[in-house]
Amino acid sequence: MSFLQALAAAAAVLWILPQCRAIEEVTTCAGIVPMRWRREVISIADFGAVGDGKTLNTWSFHKAIYRIQHLRKRGGTLLYIPAGVWLTGSFNLTSHMTLYLAKGAVIKATQDVWSWPLVDPLPSYGRGRELPGSRYMSLIQGNGIRDVVITGENGTIDGQGDVWWNMWRQKNLLHTRPNLLELINSRDIIVSNVVFLNSPFWNIHPVYCNNMVVKHVTVLAPYDSPNTDGVDPASEIGGKTILWKSFDSLNMFFSSIFSNFIASNFADSFGIPCMHDSDSSSNVCIEDSYISTGDDLVAVKSGWDEYGIAYGRPSSGITIRRLTGSSPFSGIAIGSETSGGVENVLVENVNLYNIGIGVHIKTNIGRGGYIRNITISDVTMNGVGKAIRISGHVGDHPDDNFNPRAIPTVDGVTIKNVWGEEVEQPGSIEGIKDSPFTRICLSNVKLWGVGVSPWRCTDVSGAALGVNPWPCPQLASSFAMNNC
C-alpha cells in the first residue's frame, strides 16, 4: 500500500474520530456529509505540474481532473497537492473527488487576467454582480457535482487578488471579478482545514447547493480589499459539519496511525463506534472558522431583485457557530440580496473585533422575498462601529427593471446574549413604511462605549428585555416578550 493511499485512509479516520468526540463534548451540526476514504490517490505532480511558483500548471489540473471524471474509480479519487507553490488558472472540480492540500502546499491563481475564462451570470442574479453580462470564472469551480471534499493540512488557496482590486479601484474592470471557490447546483460538499487567501472577489460561494459543510477554514484578505466576503451561501444551501480537534493533535494522530494502517492494509481501520445524526440535510453549517477580510465575514443571500424573485430559490436552515473575525463591514450579514427568501438561520458563539457592523440584516424595496425566523445569540464584540442594524433601505439594483412594488417582509428576528465593548452606536432598526418589520426581539443585549448614542427605530414592532442602552419605545412596549 502506497504512502498516498495511507494518507487517504488516514484522512478519513481523522474525520471520524473527532466527529465522535465532538458529539460528546461540543454542540455541532455534524453527521450528514461523511468524509470519504478514496480508494485511489494521485498526485498533481504525476501530470507534469511543477510547484516552483513560476510554471503555469492549469493544463496539469485539467488533465488530472479529467482522468478522475472519466475513469470513475470506485470510491472516488484523491488528488494530492504536495508542498510547493502550484501556479494555475481556473479549473473545474468533478464528482467523487478529494482535493487534498498538504502542509506547505499553495494553489496560486495566475494574475494573467486577460486569459481568464468567462462564465454565464447566475440566473438568480441576471448579470454579473459588478457589471452587466458575463463574469470571470472562479479559480476553483464546480457545477452539478456531488461527493466532493476540499481539505488537507492547512494548505493555502491564494487568489493573488491585488491585481483585481486595483482594476476595481481604477474602474477598468471588463467583467465581474472571480471568486476563489464557487460551487453551483452541487451537494454533499466538505470544505475544511484550508486557508483561503487574497480572493479577487468573494471567497467561498456555494449557490443552489445542498448539504454543504464549511469548517475549520481560515479566510484572509487585507482590511481594505474590496468585496472580499468570507462565505456567501446563496439559495438552498444545506449540510452538517464535523468538529476537528486542534491541528497539533491531528498531526500527532497522523504520525501514530501510518504504521498500523499499512501493516493491516487498512482491514480494520473503520471499526470505530460512532453515533451521529443523519437528518436535517437541508441545512448548511459553518463552524469553527476564522475570517478577516475587507467585507462581510458571512453573508446569507438568495437572489437579486426581479431575477431572484423569478428563480425563487430560498436559503434556509443555515447554522453559523464558533466564528471569530474582523472586518470594516459586517460580521454576520443577511442580504441584501434576499429576493428568493431567507429563513431558519441560527447564529451562535461568535466573537467579533474591529468590526464595522456586528449584525447586519439588510434588504430593500424591489427585493421582494422574506427574512424570517432568524436567531442570533451569544455574540461578543469589541471595537464596533454599530452593534446591530436591521434595515429595509440597503442595497443597489441590477437594473431599472426592478419592481418597486416588490416589498420584502422581515419577521421573527431574535438577538440575545450579546456583549459589546467600545461600541460607538448601539443600533438601528429601520423597517419599510408599507411593510413594517415585526417580532423583532432583543434580550440581554449589553453594549458599552464612550458616548454611546441612542437606538434609532422606525416602522418596527417587537420587544426588548435586559437591553443596555435601553432601546427605542417600539421594542419596549409593543407586545410581551413571550411572543418573541
Side-chain angles (χ1 to χ4, degrees), residues 92 117-122 133-138 141 182 184:
N92 281 289
L118 297 174
V119 294
D120 291 336
L122 294 167
S134 301
R135 58 203 180 100
Y136 291 107
M137 178 178 169
S138 298
Q141 186 108 1
E182 182 174 73
I184 307 170

Side-chain angles (χ1 to χ4, degrees), residues 110-113 159-168 172-173:
T110 177
Q111 291 189 314
D112 181 9
V113 301
Q160 294 208 96
D162 55 333
V163 63
W164 298 97
W165 307 332
N166 288 334
M167 291 173 68
W168 177 85
N172 57 11
L173 278 170

Side-chain angles (χ1 to χ4, degrees), residues 127-135 172-177:
R127 46 159 278 183
R129 187 58 185 85
E130 298 182 289
L131 293 167
S134 301
R135 58 203 180 100
N172 57 11
L173 278 170
L174 299 179
H175 304 276
T176 296
R177 288 169 285 159

Side-chain angles (χ1 to χ4, degrees), residues 49-66:
V50 180
D52 60 2
K54 300 177 182 179
T55 303
L56 189 64
N57 297 297
T58 311
W59 181 236
S60 297
F61 277 97
H62 287 183
K63 286 191 295 182
I65 295 170
Y66 182 90

Side-chain angles (χ1 to χ4, degrees), residues 27-29 233 239-241 280 282-287 298 300 315-323 332-334 342-350 359 361 371-379 412-417:
T27 301
T28 184
C29 36
K240 289 210 168 192
T241 195
S280 299
S282 63
N283 296 334
V284 58
C285 193
I286 303 165
E287 284 189 339
V298 177
V300 181
S315 287
S316 64
I318 312 293
T319 299
I320 302 163
R321 181 182 286 125
R322 293 185 296 276
L323 176 74
I332 301 298
I334 296 175
V342 174
E343 63 183 347
N344 304 332
V345 177
L346 171 64
V347 180
E348 59 185 5
N349 298 314
V350 173
V359 174
I361 299 173
I371 299 171
R372 63 193 182 203
N373 194 19
I374 312 296
T375 300
I376 300 171
S377 68
D378 300 289
V379 179
V413 176
T414 298
I415 301 175
K416 59 185 179 179
N417 302 333

Side-chain angles (χ1 to χ4, degrees), residues 60-391:
S60 297
F61 277 97
H62 287 183
K63 286 191 295 182
I65 295 170
Y66 182 90
R67 179 190 181 281
I68 296 170
Q69 180 180 8
H70 289 85
L71 286 185
R72 299 180 181 178
K73 292 288 187 177
R74 183 179 180 183
T77 299
L78 183 148
L79 177 57
Y80 181 74
I81 313 300
V85 180
W86 308 87
L87 187 68
T88 181
S90 296
F91 60 89
N92 281 289
L93 302 175
T94 190
S95 296
H96 309 299
M97 72 169 288
T98 296
L99 181 65
Y100 189 98
L101 284 77
K103 183 178 181 180
V106 180
I107 296 176
K108 180 171 284 192
T110 177
Q111 291 189 314
D112 181 9
V113 301
W114 307 110
S115 63
W116 208 278
L118 297 174
V119 294
D120 291 336
L122 294 167
S124 59
Y125 279 73
R127 46 159 278 183
R129 187 58 185 85
E130 298 182 289
L131 293 167
S134 301
R135 58 203 180 100
Y136 291 107
M137 178 178 169
S138 298
L139 175 63
I140 302 176
Q141 186 108 1
N143 195 338
I145 60 177
R146 61 190 178 96
D147 178 25
V148 172
V149 179
I150 302 173
T151 190
E153 303 166 66
N154 287 348
T156 299
I157 300 173
D158 182 356
Q160 294 208 96
D162 55 333
V163 63
W164 298 97
W165 307 332
N166 288 334
M167 291 173 68
W168 177 85
R169 293 178 182 120
Q170 295 163 13
K171 302 185 184 303
N172 57 11
L173 278 170
L174 299 179
H175 304 276
T176 296
R177 288 169 285 159
N179 308 306
L180 263 190
L181 170 66
E182 182 174 73
L183 300 168
I184 307 170
N185 289 315
S186 300
R187 61 185 176 91
D188 301 329
I189 308 294
I190 297 168
V191 181
S192 71
N193 296 86
V194 176
V195 178
F196 291 84
L197 180 66
N198 293 336
S199 176
F201 196 51
W202 299 345
N203 278 271
I204 302 171
H205 187 216
V207 59
Y208 323 138
C209 294
N210 291 298
N211 300 354
M212 180 77 187
V213 171
V214 178
K215 68 183 193 63
H216 279 275
V217 300
T218 300
V219 183
L220 302 173
Y223 206 68
D224 63 347
S225 56
N227 309 106
T228 52
D229 296 31
V231 185
D232 282 5
S235 299
E236 287 203 6
I237 316 294
K240 289 210 168 192
T241 195
I242 297 161
L243 175 66
W244 289 69
K245 297 298 180 182
S246 70
F247 199 75
D248 289 339
S249 63
L250 184 149
N251 279 332
M252 292 173 62
F253 185 69
F254 241 103
S255 300
S256 66
I257 64 174
F258 274 125
S259 59
N260 292 333
F261 270 59
I262 295 172
S264 64
N265 200 28
F266 316 114
D268 300 315
S269 58
F270 297 101
I272 301 170
C274 180
M275 299 292 292
H276 40 207
D277 187 10
S278 60
D279 61 1
S280 299
S281 60
S282 63
N283 296 334
V284 58
C285 193
I286 303 165
E287 284 189 339
D288 302 293
S289 294
Y290 176 83
I291 304 175
S292 179
T293 65
D295 212 308
D296 299 342
L297 303 186
V298 177
V300 181
K301 304 174 183 289
S302 68
W304 199 11
D305 285 9
E306 68 269 26
Y307 304 104
I309 293 171
Y311 201 69
R313 297 283 292 270
S315 287
S316 64
I318 312 293
T319 299
I320 302 163
R321 181 182 286 125
R322 293 185 296 276
L323 176 74
T324 299
S326 173
S327 166
F329 286 86
S330 306
I332 301 298
I334 296 175
S336 69
E337 304 93 323
T338 57
S339 300
V342 174
E343 63 183 347
N344 304 332
V345 177
L346 171 64
V347 180
E348 59 185 5
N349 298 314
V350 173
N351 180 21
L352 305 173
Y353 66 95
N354 296 337
I355 204 86
I357 302 174
V359 174
H360 197 183
I361 299 173
K362 46 188 173 176
T363 186
N364 205 348
I365 293 171
R367 289 286 191 265
Y370 54 82
I371 299 171
R372 63 193 182 203
N373 194 19
I374 312 296
T375 300
I376 300 171
S377 68
D378 300 289
V379 179
T380 61
M381 309 178 188
N382 192 289
V384 187
K386 179 177 287 189
I388 297 167
R389 185 185 187 196
I390 306 175
S391 178

